Amino acid sequence: MTVPIVPGFHPDPSICRVGDTYYLANSSFEYVPGVPIRRSTDLVTWELLGHALTRPSQLPPGDGAANTGIYAPTLRYHDGRFHLVTTNILEAHRGHLIVTAEDPAGPWSDPVHVRGTDGIDPDLCWDDAGVCHLTWTSFRPERPGITSVPIDPATGAMLAEPRPLWNGTGLAAPEGPHLYRVDGWWYLLLAEGGTERGHAVTIARARRLEGPYEPAPSNPILTHRSTTHPVQNTGHADLVECADGSWAMVYLGVRPRGKTPQFHVNGRETFLAGVDWVDGWPVVAEDRFPVAAADNSFTDGFATAELHPRWVAPGAAPETRWSGPGELVLTRTLLTRALDEHWTAVARLDVSHGTAAFVVRIDDRHWYGLTADGSTVTATLAIGPIVHAVTNVAAGSAVSLRIRALQPPASGPFREVTEPDLVELSVLRDDGRAEVLGTFDGRYLSTEVAAGFTGRMIGVEVLGGSVALQEFRYTTGR
């Protein structure tokens, strides 16, 4: 599998099935609304329904600091309701939070917190007696590692003392637990090795949920570590039984490019594999589901006041005012995910009443952008502590700005490609001419440089006053 089923910054996938329909949730970190929810009937093509965490009562506003906010969720369906459990790392002292809904498109309930469960990567499952069990990666020094406890999901009350389960095969950072009941066994799926190049999926089983757990003889059951596979960092998986009785796995991976150590720019993406059960253990068939490269192009003319769920903002929900078709007034940042290796984005802006930057960013310390103030457009690069205005050109208050992620040419004595891509910043003139202000090395907008858990976002940052975003076009490829 080399093509993601959900491209761009969509890590930590969790999946469940209801009848013939599958539902998928992903981490969202500092971006709000939180936890995107998707629907599919074939596991390959997915429709974005909305988000689970859309209100301040569910996700209190923050300052949008990089790599904070909502960590890995688990999405499950039980007794007629969808249940989602996740961690707001800014409120980790309150424990994991659980929200529920009859319809995954929402609305979702206000959260119930399970106090005393400091850590990340919570999972929910129900035993044969209908008791709900919360399992997570504990950060408590008195009980570190994979921990589980029966709970009342309606109140968050623990029904017993937490107990350790299985901390993996000995690799670094055992996390991402999911429990499943299959053919009289309890299976515990883990991510190990860290979410970088050593990432792997391992599994163990026990007759009782409490253990003891026996590791699979073929562990890890999925990893691309120490290979030249174009998809790396594979791990943090979740299993689902399909409508026809077969099984599948979703997992995260990255697509690094350029010269060693290589650089991935769009974050951790969601991939799909088949699963066979052989002698009581899952065997991963990575190429079972053919996934063709999708055309992710879209144009948003803001014809109505309702924002498409693709739009998010760091720290708090987007602040917009709709004054008519093609007039979305912004007072703060509005972003969407980069979905392709190579793409073109164009924003048509009116900056008569403010100043705005059209940006591609990993976080607020790593971004390239075009700042429009009504008289000039300035190309600026931010790489860590260095913020450098490269050049500027004259432009009025109505501007069309373009950012492209381009495939770099081979160069150097060995004709290798050193960068993951080249980022081009341009002003589009009324006569159709593109005035290029510069083309820059894309590696500085990669996770390997910026660090963290997110990926590239594209959009408009309001630097002062208010601006009107009249149209946004995103095109797959050049």
Side-chain angles (χ1 to χ4, degrees), residues 297-312:
S297 304
F298 68 88
T299 298
D300 200 332
F302 307 104
T304 68
E306 184 176 358
L307 276 180
H308 190 281
R310 69 171 64 93
W311 294 106
V312 297

Side-chain angles (χ1 to χ4, degrees), residues 283-359:
V283 176
V284 178
E286 291 190 48
D287 296 324
R288 173 150 306 159
F289 297 94
V291 180
D295 185 348
N296 299 304
S297 304
F298 68 88
T299 298
D300 200 332
F302 307 104
T304 68
E306 184 176 358
L307 276 180
H308 190 281
R310 69 171 64 93
W311 294 106
V312 297
E319 294 179 4
T320 63
R321 184 178 76 253
W322 187 72
S323 57
E327 285 292 333
L328 186 70
V329 179
L330 311 181
T331 55
R332 60 187 299 267
T333 303
L334 185 69
L335 301 167
T336 190
R337 290 161 171 82
L339 302 175
D340 298 283
E341 292 183 307
H342 307 111
W343 48 265
T344 297
V346 176
R348 183 157 52 87
L349 297 169
D350 183 341
V351 293
S352 301
H353 303 289
T355 301
F358 183 40
V359 300

